[in-house]
């Protein structure tokens, strides 16, 4: 389905405008593997004012550090044995005692941690010589130009204008700024680069400047228009390479703080800062080159892949939904399009010490394929090849075959202790989903050969994990697992509905890959498919798990993710599914769930189930449900709570759901099957792909 859409108009009507210092309205530029988040000044001038909002982060996919281990901790000290299928299976968890094991567990949870690379902001003096604070910034007019990937900021200090343009290079980890102000000729405006020290806490917002003695930084070289600064931490070392126009002097003000002072003869200055783990091997591009690079790359992005235009819809929610769609494309492009899976807070600030969670990759990555941008899906999917050896060792340690994918991990695929995460299993089939989506984009032998080892290795683990219950002549999942709805005890839980359906789909898909490669079907996989436990049913609805007979009577079990819906929403219809039962299940969940105790991706998941069930009104209602965790801030971020002020799985989930609601899924006959047909929605789209 192709309809001509005025893409510049569609994108630009959702440019973000900021007119005050607001901790939740900071704006970011980035390239998918590096991002820079700015306050209302266009730089990171007031990090303390934003620390509890959307923090002023500078993060990359390569910037990680480990504190010095003076105790000689071993990851094996975090192991706990669970009884599973009559034998002991070890998991890396958060051990509470003995004290040594607790400290070891805490250590490996905390290390490695993602770095905040630097804080680039202004130093501005008032006429009285005091430093300007947030209250001194007046007449703020700031715009994020989405089509160009550029932040335009203007403000006044004591009625003197300051103009700032902020851009990010789309190849290298470079932020470039152009500053114009009469304050420069008065010697009252400087640019300061500070290096924070990692907090080692669950979150790190990049404003810890109180640990000066724990790290080292120095000017390695300084020339007329460029300089190189080194930063050395416990295990990490990197550089900030600077290049500027005109006359300016770089000096070290205090430990880890460097100030660039433009000459009073200048009315403005261009500055580029390149954060890099090695000394740059080429010239540092100036602002003009970075801006040109950014404009070309963003134009290419917006003109490629999918677009959805809801203009002309009479439903009052359409304008807001379109805004969320456009801004979610921008945010996932700058935060989630690197070569490693992102953390849930992307490249803005740390959550879970900056570590990715592999069950979230479905929400972070799948939409790229559905929006006709498979190359972005492939970049992160390739990471699975890098860490496959670790997945194999994990499976072997636990006595399973194949590849068992980590849950809470790091850029190198190491396990992190997690009392919930280590027992999850729904991250296992994701790589098969990604491989299948890439095969749809490139249905050739080369794609099959590329992914076959991870597809088959994943299926081997899944087959090995399914336990044969001889008494009932069936295969079961668990006990010894925690489902996607993280409300159940690992030792007691078995046969969760969503995971059973996912096992069924993934093993069938892996068999299809064998047939495409002209290989014989795996007999064991077929045996499991024939005898896999049915989706657990009680009183005409699906339970969260066969072990949870009180799925809808225990209040706790009506909180968190209603993942039972994922069995027909995230997944297509499988041979295990009865659509009439799922319809009754959907109605019960819709009416009785504690929606105020859910997460940002639960709403698009619910919308996808509604769409497949032929309930487009409910699909829209789910996407636009008035619940705090379904809040989308002015800058497009999905707000969850005071801890998670941004949550990129919500943005990615929204894009996946919308693509499905427009382009449909295998077997869907209607156009725009997820949108009501009552005339209130005018939906134009192009470049989207069907969901399986």
């Amino acid at each position: 389905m192709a309809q001509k859409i005025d893409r510049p108009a569609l994108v630009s009507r959702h440019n973000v405008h900021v007119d005050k210092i607001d901790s939740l309205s900071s704006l970011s530029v980035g390239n998918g593997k590096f991002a820079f988040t700015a306050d209302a000044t266009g730089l990171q001038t007031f990090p303390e004012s934003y620390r509890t909002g959307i923090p002023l982060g500078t993060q990359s996919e390569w910037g990680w550090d480990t504190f010095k281990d003076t105790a000689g901790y071993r990851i094996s000290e975090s192991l706990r044995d669970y009884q599973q299928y009559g034998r002991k299976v070890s998991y890396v968890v958060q051990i509470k005692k003995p004290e040594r094991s607790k400290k070891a567990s805490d250590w490996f949870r905390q290390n490695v941690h993602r770095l905040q690379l630097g804080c680039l902001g202004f130093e501005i003096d008032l006429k009285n010589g005091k430093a300007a604070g947030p209250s001194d910034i007046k007449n703020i007019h700031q715009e994020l130009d989405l089509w160009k990937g550029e932040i335009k900021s203007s403000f006044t200090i004591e009625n003197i204008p300051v103009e700032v343009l902020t851009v990010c290079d789309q190849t290298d980890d470079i932020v470039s700024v152009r500053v114009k102000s009469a304050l420069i000729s008065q010697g009252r405006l400087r640019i300061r680069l500070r290096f924070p020290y990692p907090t080692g806490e669950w979150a790190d917002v990049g404003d810890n400047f109180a640990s000066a003695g724990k790290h080292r930084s120095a000017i390695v070289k300084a020339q007329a228009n460029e300089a190189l600064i080194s930063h050395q931490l416990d295990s990490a070392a990197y550089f900030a390479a600077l290049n500027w126009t005109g006359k300016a002097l770089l000096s070290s003000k205090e430990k880890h703080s460097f100030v660039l002072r433009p000459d009073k003869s200048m009315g403005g200055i261009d500055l580029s800062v390149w954060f890099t783990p090695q000394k740059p091997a080429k010239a540092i591009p100036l602002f003009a080159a970075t801006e040109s690079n950014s404009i070309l790359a963003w134009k290419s992005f917006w003109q490629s892949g999918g677009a959805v235009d809801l203009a002309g819809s009479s439903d009052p929610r359409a304008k807001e939904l379109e805004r969320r769609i456009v801004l979610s494309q921008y945010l996932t492009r700058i935060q989630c399009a690197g070569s490693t899976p992102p953390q849930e807070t992307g490249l803005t600030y740390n959550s879970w010490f900056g570590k990715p969670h592999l069950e979230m990759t479905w929400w972070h990555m799948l939409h790229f394929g559905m929006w006709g941008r498979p190359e972005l899906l492939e970049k992160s999917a390739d990471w699975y090849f890098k860490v496959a050896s670790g997945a194999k060792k994990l499976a072997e340690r636990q006595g399973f075959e194949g590849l068992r994918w980590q849950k809470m991990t790091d850029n190198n695929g190491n396990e992190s202790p997690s009392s919930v995460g280590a027992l999850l299993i729904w991250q296992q089939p994701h790589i098969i989903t990604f491989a299948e989506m890439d095969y749809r984009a490139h249905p050739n032998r080369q794609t099959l050969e590329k992914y076959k080892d991870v597809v088959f290795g994943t299926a081997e683990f899944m087959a090995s994990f399914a336990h044969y219950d001889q008494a009932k002549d069936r295969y079961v999942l668990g006990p010894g697992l925690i489902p996607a709805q993280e409300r159940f005890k690992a030792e007691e839980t078995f046969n969760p509905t969503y995971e059973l359906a996912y096992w069924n789909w993934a093993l069938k898909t892996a068999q299809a890959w064998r047939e495409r490669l002209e290989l014989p079907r795996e007999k064991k996989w077929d045996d499991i498919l024939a005898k896999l436990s049915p989706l657990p049913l009680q009183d005409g609805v699906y339970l969260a798990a066969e072990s949870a007979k009180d799925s809808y009577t225990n209040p706790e079990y009506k909180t968190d993710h209603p993942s039972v819906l994922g069995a027909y929403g995230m997944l297509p219809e499988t041979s295990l599914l009865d659509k009439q039962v799922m319809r009754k299940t959907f109605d019960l969940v819709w009416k009785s769930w504690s929606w105020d105790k859910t997460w940002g991706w639960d709403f698009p998941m619910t919308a996808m189930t509604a769409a497949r069930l032929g309930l487009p009104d409910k699909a829209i209602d789910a996407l636009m449900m008035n619940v705090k965790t379904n809040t989308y801030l002015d800058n497009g971020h999905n707000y969850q709570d005071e801890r998670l002020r941004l949550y990129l799985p919500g943005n990615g989930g929204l894009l996946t759901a919308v693509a499905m609601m427009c382009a449909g899924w295998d077997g869907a006959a209607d156009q725009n099957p997820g949108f009501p047909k009552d005339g209130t929605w005018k939906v134009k789209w192009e470049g989207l792909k069907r969901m399986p």
Side-chain angles (χ1 to χ4, degrees):
M1 179 180 182
Q3 301 180 26
K4 188 64 176 176
I5 292 174
D6 185 344
R7 295 197 179 201
L10 167 65
V11 172
S12 298
R13 65 175 171 252
H14 299 292
N15 285 353
V16 184
H17 298 270
V18 177
D19 60 6
K20 61 183 177 181
I21 300 280
D22 178 359
S23 67
L24 290 173
S25 294
S26 51
L27 303 174
S28 301
V29 292
N31 57 28
K33 59 188 180 67
F34 169 83
F36 177 89
T37 301
D39 61 22
T41 69
L43 290 181
Q44 299 164 330
T45 306
F46 304 113
E48 296 81 5
S49 297
Y50 287 75
R51 62 159 58 103
T52 59
I54 307 299
L56 309 182
T58 306
Q59 293 196 321
S60 69
E61 62 181 13
W62 54 261
W64 295 80
D65 182 51
T66 300
F67 293 142
K68 292 179 180 177
D69 177 8
T70 59
Y73 295 123
R74 304 181 308 277
I75 192 67
S76 59
E77 295 178 272
S78 298
L79 292 177
R80 175 186 168 189
D81 290 334
Y82 288 75
Q83 287 293 327
Q84 196 167 354
Y85 316 139
R87 62 184 181 84
K88 292 181 179 180
V89 179
S90 64
Y91 290 86
V92 174
V93 298
Q94 294 158 265
I95 295 177
K96 296 182 180 179
K97 56 183 180 181
E99 185 66 17
R100 167 76 186 191
S101 293
K102 179 184 184 302
K103 289 182 177 179
S105 176
D106 291 344
W107 165 263
F108 285 105
R109 234 174 117 71
Q110 182 186 64
N111 296 283
V112 295
H113 42 263
R114 195 185 299 263
L115 285 172
Q116 292 281 9
L117 299 176
C119 182
L120 184 70
F122 288 114
E123 278 190 348
I124 303 175
D125 297 335
L126 301 176
K127 289 179 181 178
N128 62 12
K130 293 183 178 180
S135 63
D136 299 306
I137 309 298
K138 307 292 185 183
N139 302 308
I140 295 169
H141 298 285
Q142 187 176 49
E143 179 182 13
L144 171 59
D145 187 328
L146 296 166
W147 191 259
K148 295 181 178 180
E150 182 173 83
I151 302 171
K152 305 174 184 178
S153 309
S154 66
F155 57 93
T156 62
I157 296 286
E158 297 176 323
N159 295 318
I160 299 176
V162 181
E163 296 180 0
V164 185
L165 285 176
T166 311
V167 293
C168 177
D169 190 273
Q170 295 301 296
T171 302
D172 296 307
D173 299 345
I174 299 169
V175 58
S176 295
V177 296
R178 170 167 287 171
V179 183
K180 295 180 180 179
S181 178
L183 289 172
I184 293 177
S185 63
Q186 297 178 21
R188 294 169 53 191
L189 184 147
R190 301 167 297 281
I191 300 176
R192 178 179 61 185
L193 175 62
R194 292 184 288 174
F195 293 98
Y197 187 73
T199 64
E201 298 174 356
W202 183 89
D204 187 347
V205 301
D207 66 350
N208 177 26
F209 303 109
S211 303
K214 295 183 177 181
H215 54 136
R216 300 190 304 276
S217 58
I219 298 175
V220 177
K221 72 171 184 178
Q223 297 173 268
N225 294 97
E226 63 180 60
L228 184 67
I229 302 173
S230 66
H231 188 211
Q232 174 72 54
L233 299 104
D234 295 279
S235 69
Y238 61 94
F239 299 90
L242 285 66
N243 196 1
W244 60 86
T245 57
K247 295 175 62 178
L249 178 65
L250 180 72
S251 61
S252 176
K253 182 177 180 180
E254 54 196 28
K255 278 190 174 182
H256 315 297
S257 180
F258 302 87
V259 175
L260 184 67
R261 185 186 301 271
D263 191 84
K264 290 183 179 181
S265 63
M266 297 168 57
I269 187 171
D270 292 356
L271 170 67
S272 293
V273 181
W274 186 352
F275 295 95
T276 171
Q278 292 90 28
K279 293 181 180 180
K282 61 181 180 180
I284 308 161
L286 285 169
F287 175 87
T290 306
E291 183 184 40
S292 175
N293 167 296
S294 176
I295 290 172
L296 288 173
W298 278 105
K299 182 179 180 181
S300 175
F301 173 80
W302 290 118
Q303 289 184 329
S304 68
V308 175
D309 187 335
L310 302 179
S313 300
S314 60
D315 190 302
R317 299 169 293 182
K319 183 177 181 180
E320 170 61 13
L321 178 56
E322 187 186 89
R323 183 186 77 89
R324 296 182 183 189
I325 293 168
V326 171
L327 289 177
S328 291
Q329 288 182 81
Y330 179 81
L331 290 173
T332 55
R333 173 64 182 83
I334 67 173
Q335 305 260 2
C336 306
S339 56
T340 63
Q343 62 174 320
E344 293 176 27
T345 44
L347 296 169
T348 302
Y349 78 100
N350 282 2
S351 54
W352 289 276
F353 310 96
K355 296 181 178 182
H357 293 170
L358 293 197
E359 86 280 17
M360 288 295 103
T361 55
W362 199 97
W363 303 102
H364 286 304
M365 295 163 49
L366 184 63
H367 64 90
F368 287 129
M370 295 185 66
W371 281 76
R373 298 177 178 120
E375 69 281 0
L376 299 182
L377 171 65
E378 292 165 10
K379 286 175 69 176
S380 289
D382 286 351
W383 178 85
Y384 282 82
F385 302 124
K386 172 183 175 181
V387 302
S389 60
K392 183 174 180 61
K393 290 178 182 177
L394 170 56
E396 289 175 347
R397 189 193 78 217
Q398 296 180 333
F400 297 115
E401 299 173 3
L403 304 173
R404 178 163 198 171
W405 301 106
Q406 307 83 334
K407 190 277 188 191
M408 181 178 172
T409 183
D410 60 28
N411 56 326
N412 290 317
N414 298 304
E415 284 188 274
S416 294
S418 173
S419 293
V420 172
L423 279 299
L424 294 182
I425 63 170
W426 66 291
Q427 73 272 27
Q428 299 305 324
H430 287 350
I431 184 58
I432 298 179
T433 303
F434 304 148
E436 184 69 10
M437 184 60 70
D438 200 12
Y439 180 73
R440 285 168 174 249
H442 308 103
N444 53 46
R445 183 86 183 190
Q446 183 178 357
T447 305
L448 295 171
E449 292 289 346
K450 174 181 177 179
Y451 290 103
K452 68 177 183 180
D453 289 342
V454 292
V455 168
F456 297 156
T458 299
E460 286 169 5
F461 165 77
M462 295 174 68
S464 178
F465 187 84
H467 175 65
Y468 181 62
D469 180 348
Q470 190 168 5
K472 296 184 178 181
D473 189 28
R474 66 171 185 167
Y475 285 90
V476 298
L477 303 182
L481 62 80
I482 294 177
Q485 185 186 356
E486 299 175 4
R487 289 292 184 264
F488 302 94
K489 295 181 179 179
E491 300 92 334
E492 302 170 0
T493 303
F494 62 93
N495 282 342
T497 295
Y498 166 64
E499 282 79 359
L500 281 171
Y502 210 176
W503 247 241
N504 176 279
W505 177 86
L507 287 175
K508 283 183 177 178
T509 304
Q511 290 284 42
W513 274 62
R514 292 190 64 84
E515 292 176 338
R516 291 166 184 166
L517 286 162
E518 300 176 338
L519 297 171
R521 293 174 67 90
E522 280 286 348
K523 183 177 183 302
K524 183 177 181 181
W525 301 356
D526 276 339
D527 189 49
I528 293 171
L529 287 169
K531 298 180 180 180
L532 189 62
S533 296
L535 303 185
L537 182 66
Q538 180 176 282
D539 298 330
V541 297
Y542 289 125
L543 298 170
E546 185 177 339
S547 52
K549 305 299 184 184
D550 54 347
S551 291
Y552 303 106
T553 56
N554 185 334
E556 183 183 3
Y557 295 164
K558 293 188 290 184
T559 66
D560 198 58
H561 312 297
S563 57
V564 63
L565 300 181
Y568 188 53
M570 296 173 68
L571 298 175
E573 182 179 356
T574 66
S575 57
L576 299 179
L577 185 87
D578 183 321
K579 285 192 285 189
Q580 294 304 313
V581 174
M582 181 55 79
R583 171 62 191 269
K584 293 179 181 178
T585 305
F586 180 90
D587 289 343
L588 178 60
V589 170
W590 185 266
K591 294 173 183 175
S592 66
W593 208 258
S594 298
W595 292 104
D596 60 334
K597 298 177 182 176
T598 53
W599 295 68
W601 56 265
D602 294 327
F603 307 99
M605 178 180 67
T606 303
M608 289 187 282
T609 305
R612 287 192 193 263
L613 288 171
L615 303 170
D617 290 333
K618 285 290 192 292
I620 295 294
D621 290 345
L623 277 188
M624 305 306 293
M625 194 179 294
N626 185 20
V627 177
K628 183 174 72 171
T629 51
N630 199 35
T631 299
Y632 284 75
L633 303 173
D634 290 344
N635 52 24
H637 278 302
N638 179 208
Y639 181 92
Q640 300 297 287
D641 53 30
E642 292 180 355
R643 187 177 70 149
L644 285 170
R645 287 90 69 189
L646 68 91
Y647 189 63
L648 288 158
N651 298 96
L654 172 78
L655 293 174
T656 300
V658 168
M660 175 192 181
M661 290 162 64
C662 290
W665 52 90
D666 292 351
D670 294 340
Q671 293 184 350
N672 303 321
F675 287 87
K677 304 299 189 292
D678 58 4
T680 61
W681 287 87
K682 184 178 180 181
V683 182
K684 292 195 299 182
W685 61 267
E686 58 192 25
L688 302 176
K689 306 300 179 182
R690 284 195 163 203
M691 195 170 183

